[in-house]
Amino acid sequence: MSRREDLPAGFDEPVFAEPWQAEAFAMTVALHDKGLFSWSEWADALAAEVKRPDAASDGHDYYEHWLAALESLLSAKGVAGKNDVDALAAAWERAAHATPHGKPILLENDPGSIP
């Protein structure tokens, strides 16, 4: 068994800085597992995003590029276009603002949804 001081630096730090990063990671793995795209397709999409000229040199925006790559693949595969993704994100945002503190955020809470 390894002693605590033998662990690599940053071992106790969270893997993801924000919950949405973990969710984007999990969605990517789940969609790959369902056969929506191959890992080489994913690697190509992610590489295209992180090589963009506006990418941060220190990589602090890595998961923003991860999410953009996922959205790009969803669009390329005909699953959901950018407008679809943006509309759903806006609906979740409205639902979050309409949900009382401490209650689960449900898409049905979106005041802008059509009954």
Side-chain angles (χ1 to χ4, degrees), residues 4-73:
R4 190 133 192 90
E5 58 269 11
D6 293 334
L7 296 174
F11 182 78
D12 286 340
E13 295 176 16
V15 175
F16 303 102
E18 304 276 338
W20 70 265
Q21 296 170 347
E23 292 167 0
F25 181 90
M27 282 190 291
T28 302
V29 172
L31 291 170
H32 166 267
D33 288 348
K34 290 197 177 290
L36 185 64
F37 50 81
S38 68
W39 282 132
S40 62
E41 288 176 301
W42 168 251
D44 290 345
L46 182 57
E49 289 297 328
V50 297
K51 289 179 183 176
R52 291 173 52 102
D54 60 341
S57 60
D58 66 358
H60 75 269
D61 57 353
Y62 179 76
Y63 279 101
E64 291 171 27
H65 295 295
W66 182 287
L67 187 58
L70 181 56
E71 291 174 353
S72 174
L73 274 175

Side-chain angles (χ1 to χ4, degrees), residues 43-114:
D44 290 345
L46 182 57
E49 289 297 328
V50 297
K51 289 179 183 176
R52 291 173 52 102
D54 60 341
S57 60
D58 66 358
H60 75 269
D61 57 353
Y62 179 76
Y63 279 101
E64 291 171 27
H65 295 295
W66 182 287
L67 187 58
L70 181 56
E71 291 174 353
S72 174
L73 274 175
L74 290 175
S75 180
K77 298 290 184 172
V79 174
K82 180 163 177 32
N83 291 340
D84 298 323
V85 172
D86 290 346
L88 189 55
W92 277 108
E93 185 75 20
R94 289 188 304 267
H97 288 293
T99 301
H101 181 72
K103 300 291 183 185
I105 300 170
L106 304 172
L107 194 53
E108 298 86 54
N109 293 346
D110 173 15
S113 68
I114 300 171

